[in-house]
Amino acid sequence: MTAQILDGKATAAAIKSALKTRVEALQAKGVQPGLGTLLVGDDPGSTWYVAGKHRDCAQVGIASIRRELPDTATQEEIEAVVRELNEDPECTGYIVQLPLPKGIDTNRVLELMDPAKDADGLHPMSLGRLVLGEPGPLPCTPYGIIQLLRHHDVAIDGAHVVVVGRGITVGRSIGLLLTRKSENATVTLCHTGTRDLPAALRQADIIVAAAGVGHLIKPEYVKPGAAVLDVGVSRDGEGKIVGDVDPGVAEVAGWLSPNPGGVGPMTRAQLLVNVVEAAERAARAQG
Ligand SMILES: Nc1nc2c(c(=O)[nH]1)N[C@@H](CN(C=O)c1ccc(C(=O)N[C@@H](CCC(=O)O)C(=O)O)cc1)CN2
């Protein structure tokens, strides 16, 4: 078997094209959506991701507001920029690029954000709304994964999804989305403390690999025909970027997201969706 490709680039392009029309409708009402980003430090990966987010904004007509601080920035300096973005009327939604430098209390920074401007769906209020089933911004990578599966007609209803990784951006929240009535999946969350990871993975109809451990998912752990989503990014011994999924998995899986070109572009597209939806909510509230 050679897996069918879950093409994130093409799916994200379709989402962005639909968003352009929604942005034009907002602009016609005098509302200009604007995405703010706060980047602390000069990590090449984070710098690249933030640049990509602004390129996407330009494509759909969302304005860009960029704030940058050196990696020596203190908690207070970071919080001061968060307060500025909370107050900036041109910034209708924003993100704090993660991870923040060592020594910074990330939760304190996220909690300080205005929840109405949370474009990442990572504010405690947004996560709480997700638990309660109330409308709000959805976490970008988890919802991007669901959109990618839907777009390729991969059955989620009734599927057993095994997630590997318990980080805040993917592992912790994806189960909340997948177990909603609208998705109706059964989710097992695995992590470094899971005793027999291969045994858990062999049960999966869908695997979400978000551990950040290069080539962790081997072909022999995958049920033939399963859908496999490669979220992780890490470097091998030679410094080359690798995903969490061993290339041999393509011979066993029914569906496979490439990395790059799979979940990454979907994460960015969902961020734009959150910005546009927040601006639409604000426009409705204004009447
Ligand atoms: N505040 C946030 N921080 C982080 C998030 C997040 O959702 N919000 N997720 C990750 C990084 N991330 C978004 O910020 C992200 C990662 C990868 C991509 C992407 O498009 N990757 C491309 C490859 C890019 C390359 O060539 O290196 C792909 O997969 O095709 C977008 C966003 C951690 N931080």
Side-chain angles (χ1 to χ4, degrees), residues 235-277:
R235 286 185 187 272
D236 66 10
E238 290 151 20
K240 205 179 114 209
I241 289 180
V242 289
D244 280 5
V245 177
D246 188 287
V249 166
E251 299 309 316
V252 186
W255 296 93
L256 179 61
S257 74
N259 189 354
V263 173
M266 294 301 294
T267 298
R268 283 164 39 187
Q270 180 57 30
L271 176 65
L272 302 182
V273 170
N274 283 346
V275 174
V276 172
E277 286 184 352

Short mmCIF file of all heavy atoms in Angstrom, two decimals, residues 235-277:
data_model
loop_
_atom_site.label_atom_id
_atom_site.label_comp_id
_atom_site.label_asym_id
_atom_site.label_seq_id
_atom_site.Cartn_x
_atom_site.Cartn_y
_atom_site.Cartn_z
N ARG A 235 15.27 17.92 14.94
CA ARG A 235 16.48 17.82 14.12
C ARG A 235 17.17 16.50 14.38
O ARG A 235 17.24 16.05 15.54
CB ARG A 235 17.43 18.98 14.44
CG ARG A 235 16.93 20.29 13.86
CD ARG A 235 17.92 21.43 14.06
NE ARG A 235 17.29 22.68 13.64
CZ ARG A 235 17.32 23.15 12.40
NH1 ARG A 235 17.96 22.48 11.45
NH2 ARG A 235 16.72 24.28 12.08
N ASP A 236 17.68 15.87 13.31
CA ASP A 236 18.41 14.61 13.49
C ASP A 236 19.87 14.92 13.86
O ASP A 236 20.24 16.09 14.01
CB ASP A 236 18.29 13.71 12.24
CG ASP A 236 18.99 14.31 11.02
OD1 ASP A 236 19.72 15.30 11.18
OD2 ASP A 236 18.79 13.77 9.92
N GLY A 237 20.71 13.87 13.97
CA GLY A 237 22.11 14.04 14.39
C GLY A 237 22.88 14.96 13.48
O GLY A 237 23.87 15.59 13.91
N GLU A 238 22.45 15.07 12.21
CA GLU A 238 23.18 15.96 11.28
C GLU A 238 22.54 17.35 11.19
O GLU A 238 22.89 18.16 10.32
CB GLU A 238 23.19 15.34 9.88
CG GLU A 238 24.07 14.11 9.80
CD GLU A 238 23.59 13.11 8.76
OE1 GLU A 238 22.82 13.49 7.85
OE2 GLU A 238 23.97 11.94 8.88
N GLY A 239 21.56 17.63 12.05
CA GLY A 239 20.94 18.95 12.06
C GLY A 239 19.82 19.09 11.05
O GLY A 239 19.26 20.17 10.87
N LYS A 240 19.48 17.97 10.37
CA LYS A 240 18.42 18.04 9.36
C LYS A 240 17.05 17.97 10.04
O LYS A 240 16.87 17.20 11.01
CB LYS A 240 18.58 16.85 8.41
CG LYS A 240 18.00 17.07 7.04
CD LYS A 240 18.22 15.85 6.15
CE LYS A 240 16.88 15.26 5.84
NZ LYS A 240 16.76 13.89 5.60
N ILE A 241 16.07 18.77 9.54
CA ILE A 241 14.74 18.76 10.14
C ILE A 241 14.00 17.48 9.77
O ILE A 241 13.98 17.09 8.59
CB ILE A 241 13.95 20.01 9.71
CG1 ILE A 241 14.55 21.24 10.40
CG2 ILE A 241 12.46 19.88 10.04
CD1 ILE A 241 13.91 22.55 10.09
N VAL A 242 13.46 16.80 10.78
CA VAL A 242 12.70 15.57 10.51
C VAL A 242 11.36 15.62 11.24
O VAL A 242 11.21 16.27 12.27
CB VAL A 242 13.47 14.28 10.96
CG1 VAL A 242 14.65 14.00 10.05
CG2 VAL A 242 13.91 14.37 12.40
N GLY A 243 10.38 14.89 10.70
CA GLY A 243 9.09 14.78 11.36
C GLY A 243 9.07 13.60 12.33
O GLY A 243 10.07 12.89 12.50
N ASP A 244 7.91 13.38 12.95
CA ASP A 244 7.77 12.28 13.92
C ASP A 244 7.53 10.93 13.25
O ASP A 244 7.50 9.91 13.92
CB ASP A 244 6.56 12.56 14.84
CG ASP A 244 6.88 13.55 15.95
OD1 ASP A 244 8.00 14.07 15.95
OD2 ASP A 244 6.00 13.76 16.81
N VAL A 245 7.26 10.95 11.93
CA VAL A 245 6.82 9.72 11.27
C VAL A 245 7.93 9.19 10.36
O VAL A 245 8.46 9.92 9.50
CB VAL A 245 5.52 9.99 10.47
CG1 VAL A 245 5.09 8.74 9.71
CG2 VAL A 245 4.41 10.46 11.41
N ASP A 246 8.28 7.92 10.56
CA ASP A 246 9.30 7.26 9.73
C ASP A 246 8.80 7.19 8.27
O ASP A 246 7.62 6.88 8.04
CB ASP A 246 9.49 5.84 10.29
CG ASP A 246 10.63 5.11 9.64
OD1 ASP A 246 10.48 4.70 8.46
OD2 ASP A 246 11.67 4.94 10.30
N PRO A 247 9.65 7.48 7.30
CA PRO A 247 9.19 7.47 5.89
C PRO A 247 8.56 6.13 5.48
O PRO A 247 7.68 6.10 4.61
CB PRO A 247 10.46 7.75 5.10
CG PRO A 247 11.41 8.38 6.05
CD PRO A 247 11.05 7.90 7.42
N GLY A 248 8.97 5.02 6.11
CA GLY A 248 8.43 3.70 5.76
C GLY A 248 6.94 3.57 6.04
O GLY A 248 6.27 2.68 5.50
N VAL A 249 6.39 4.46 6.86
CA VAL A 249 4.95 4.42 7.21
C VAL A 249 4.09 4.60 5.95
O VAL A 249 2.98 4.08 5.86
CB VAL A 249 4.62 5.49 8.29
CG1 VAL A 249 3.13 5.72 8.44
CG2 VAL A 249 5.24 5.09 9.62
N ALA A 250 4.63 5.29 4.95
CA ALA A 250 3.88 5.51 3.69
C ALA A 250 3.48 4.19 3.03
O ALA A 250 2.51 4.15 2.28
CB ALA A 250 4.71 6.36 2.73
N GLU A 251 4.21 3.13 3.32
CA GLU A 251 3.90 1.82 2.71
C GLU A 251 2.78 1.08 3.43
O GLU A 251 2.26 0.09 2.93
CB GLU A 251 5.17 0.94 2.68
CG GLU A 251 6.31 1.53 1.87
CD GLU A 251 5.89 1.98 0.47
OE1 GLU A 251 5.15 1.23 -0.19
OE2 GLU A 251 6.27 3.10 0.06
N VAL A 252 2.42 1.52 4.62
CA VAL A 252 1.41 0.82 5.44
C VAL A 252 0.13 1.65 5.58
O VAL A 252 -0.98 1.12 5.53
CB VAL A 252 1.98 0.54 6.86
CG1 VAL A 252 1.00 -0.30 7.67
CG2 VAL A 252 3.34 -0.11 6.79
N ALA A 253 0.31 2.96 5.77
CA ALA A 253 -0.84 3.84 6.06
C ALA A 253 -1.73 3.98 4.83
O ALA A 253 -1.29 3.81 3.69
CB ALA A 253 -0.33 5.22 6.49
N GLY A 254 -3.01 4.31 5.08
CA GLY A 254 -3.93 4.61 3.99
C GLY A 254 -3.83 6.06 3.58
O GLY A 254 -4.03 6.43 2.43
N TRP A 255 -3.52 6.91 4.59
CA TRP A 255 -3.42 8.35 4.40
C TRP A 255 -2.22 8.85 5.19
O TRP A 255 -2.00 8.39 6.31
CB TRP A 255 -4.67 9.06 4.94
CG TRP A 255 -5.92 8.72 4.22
CD1 TRP A 255 -6.81 7.74 4.56
CD2 TRP A 255 -6.43 9.35 3.05
NE1 TRP A 255 -7.84 7.73 3.68
CE2 TRP A 255 -7.64 8.71 2.73
CE3 TRP A 255 -5.99 10.40 2.25
CZ2 TRP A 255 -8.41 9.07 1.64
CZ3 TRP A 255 -6.75 10.77 1.17
CH2 TRP A 255 -7.95 10.11 0.88
N LEU A 256 -1.50 9.81 4.64
CA LEU A 256 -0.35 10.34 5.36
C LEU A 256 -0.21 11.83 5.06
O LEU A 256 -0.28 12.24 3.89
CB LEU A 256 0.92 9.60 4.92
CG LEU A 256 2.25 10.03 5.56
CD1 LEU A 256 2.23 9.85 7.08
CD2 LEU A 256 3.41 9.24 4.94
N SER A 257 -0.01 12.63 6.12
CA SER A 257 0.24 14.07 5.87
C SER A 257 1.73 14.26 5.69
O SER A 257 2.52 13.83 6.54
CB SER A 257 -0.29 14.93 7.02
OG SER A 257 0.54 14.83 8.14
N PRO A 258 2.17 14.89 4.60
CA PRO A 258 3.60 15.14 4.44
C PRO A 258 4.07 16.16 5.47
O PRO A 258 3.27 16.90 6.02
CB PRO A 258 3.69 15.70 3.02
CG PRO A 258 2.34 16.24 2.71
CD PRO A 258 1.35 15.48 3.52
N ASN A 259 5.34 16.19 5.73
CA ASN A 259 5.89 17.16 6.67
C ASN A 259 7.26 17.59 6.13
O ASN A 259 8.19 16.79 6.19
CB ASN A 259 6.03 16.50 8.05
CG ASN A 259 6.39 17.50 9.13
OD1 ASN A 259 6.66 18.66 8.85
ND2 ASN A 259 6.43 17.05 10.37
N PRO A 260 7.39 18.77 5.53
CA PRO A 260 6.43 19.87 5.44
C PRO A 260 5.31 19.61 4.41
O PRO A 260 5.35 18.64 3.68
CB PRO A 260 7.30 21.04 4.97
CG PRO A 260 8.42 20.42 4.22
CD PRO A 260 8.69 19.08 4.89
N GLY A 261 4.35 20.55 4.41
CA GLY A 261 3.29 20.52 3.40
C GLY A 261 2.00 19.87 3.87
O GLY A 261 1.07 19.70 3.09
N GLY A 262 1.94 19.50 5.16
CA GLY A 262 0.72 18.86 5.68
C GLY A 262 0.03 19.72 6.73
O GLY A 262 -0.75 20.63 6.40
N VAL A 263 0.35 19.45 7.99
CA VAL A 263 -0.33 20.12 9.10
C VAL A 263 0.10 21.59 9.25
O VAL A 263 -0.71 22.44 9.62
CB VAL A 263 -0.10 19.32 10.40
CG1 VAL A 263 -0.65 20.05 11.61
CG2 VAL A 263 -0.71 17.93 10.28
N GLY A 264 1.36 21.92 8.92
CA GLY A 264 1.87 23.29 9.09
C GLY A 264 1.02 24.33 8.36
O GLY A 264 0.52 25.28 8.98
N PRO A 265 0.82 24.17 7.05
CA PRO A 265 -0.02 25.15 6.34
C PRO A 265 -1.45 25.21 6.87
O PRO A 265 -2.08 26.27 6.84
CB PRO A 265 -0.01 24.63 4.88
CG PRO A 265 1.20 23.77 4.78
CD PRO A 265 1.44 23.20 6.14
N MET A 266 -1.96 24.09 7.39
CA MET A 266 -3.32 24.09 7.95
C MET A 266 -3.37 24.88 9.26
O MET A 266 -4.37 25.56 9.55
CB MET A 266 -3.79 22.65 8.19
CG MET A 266 -3.97 21.83 6.93
SD MET A 266 -5.16 22.56 5.79
CE MET A 266 -6.68 22.42 6.71
N THR A 267 -2.30 24.81 10.04
CA THR A 267 -2.22 25.60 11.28
C THR A 267 -2.32 27.08 10.94
O THR A 267 -3.06 27.85 11.58
CB THR A 267 -0.86 25.32 11.99
OG1 THR A 267 -0.80 23.94 12.33
CG2 THR A 267 -0.67 26.18 13.22
N ARG A 268 -1.58 27.48 9.90
CA ARG A 268 -1.59 28.89 9.52
C ARG A 268 -2.93 29.31 8.96
O ARG A 268 -3.42 30.42 9.24
CB ARG A 268 -0.48 29.14 8.51
CG ARG A 268 0.87 29.20 9.19
CD ARG A 268 2.05 29.06 8.27
NE ARG A 268 1.91 29.74 7.00
CZ ARG A 268 2.81 29.60 6.01
NH1 ARG A 268 3.86 28.84 6.17
NH2 ARG A 268 2.64 30.24 4.87
N ALA A 269 -3.58 28.43 8.20
CA ALA A 269 -4.89 28.78 7.62
C ALA A 269 -5.93 28.95 8.74
O ALA A 269 -6.75 29.87 8.71
CB ALA A 269 -5.33 27.70 6.63
N GLN A 270 -5.87 28.07 9.74
CA GLN A 270 -6.85 28.16 10.83
C GLN A 270 -6.66 29.43 11.64
O GLN A 270 -7.62 30.03 12.13
CB GLN A 270 -6.77 26.91 11.74
CG GLN A 270 -7.76 26.91 12.89
CD GLN A 270 -9.21 27.05 12.45
OE1 GLN A 270 -9.58 26.61 11.36
NE2 GLN A 270 -10.04 27.64 13.29
N LEU A 271 -5.41 29.88 11.75
CA LEU A 271 -5.15 31.15 12.44
C LEU A 271 -5.90 32.28 11.74
O LEU A 271 -6.56 33.11 12.37
CB LEU A 271 -3.64 31.42 12.45
CG LEU A 271 -3.19 32.75 13.04
CD1 LEU A 271 -3.53 32.82 14.53
CD2 LEU A 271 -1.69 32.95 12.84
N LEU A 272 -5.84 32.28 10.41
CA LEU A 272 -6.55 33.33 9.65
C LEU A 272 -8.06 33.21 9.86
O LEU A 272 -8.76 34.21 9.99
CB LEU A 272 -6.23 33.22 8.16
CG LEU A 272 -4.76 33.31 7.74
CD1 LEU A 272 -4.63 33.25 6.22
CD2 LEU A 272 -4.11 34.59 8.24
N VAL A 273 -8.56 31.96 9.90
CA VAL A 273 -10.00 31.75 10.13
C VAL A 273 -10.38 32.38 11.48
O VAL A 273 -11.39 33.09 11.58
CB VAL A 273 -10.34 30.23 10.14
CG1 VAL A 273 -11.77 29.99 10.62
CG2 VAL A 273 -10.14 29.62 8.76
N ASN A 274 -9.56 32.13 12.51
CA ASN A 274 -9.86 32.68 13.83
C ASN A 274 -9.89 34.22 13.81
O ASN A 274 -10.74 34.84 14.44
CB ASN A 274 -8.84 32.20 14.86
CG ASN A 274 -9.08 30.76 15.29
OD1 ASN A 274 -10.14 30.19 15.03
ND2 ASN A 274 -8.10 30.17 15.95
N VAL A 275 -8.95 34.82 13.06
CA VAL A 275 -8.89 36.30 12.99
C VAL A 275 -10.15 36.83 12.31
O VAL A 275 -10.79 37.78 12.79
CB VAL A 275 -7.63 36.77 12.23
CG1 VAL A 275 -7.65 38.28 12.04
CG2 VAL A 275 -6.37 36.36 12.98
N VAL A 276 -10.53 36.19 11.21
CA VAL A 276 -11.70 36.67 10.46
C VAL A 276 -12.97 36.46 11.30
O VAL A 276 -13.83 37.36 11.39
CB VAL A 276 -11.80 35.96 9.09
CG1 VAL A 276 -13.10 36.28 8.38
CG2 VAL A 276 -10.61 36.36 8.21
N GLU A 277 -13.08 35.29 11.95
CA GLU A 277 -14.29 35.04 12.75
C GLU A 277 -14.40 36.02 13.92
O GLU A 277 -15.49 36.50 14.24
CB GLU A 277 -14.32 33.59 13.24
CG GLU A 277 -14.68 32.66 12.09
CD GLU A 277 -14.83 31.20 12.46
OE1 GLU A 277 -14.52 30.84 13.61
OE2 GLU A 277 -15.26 30.44 11.57
#
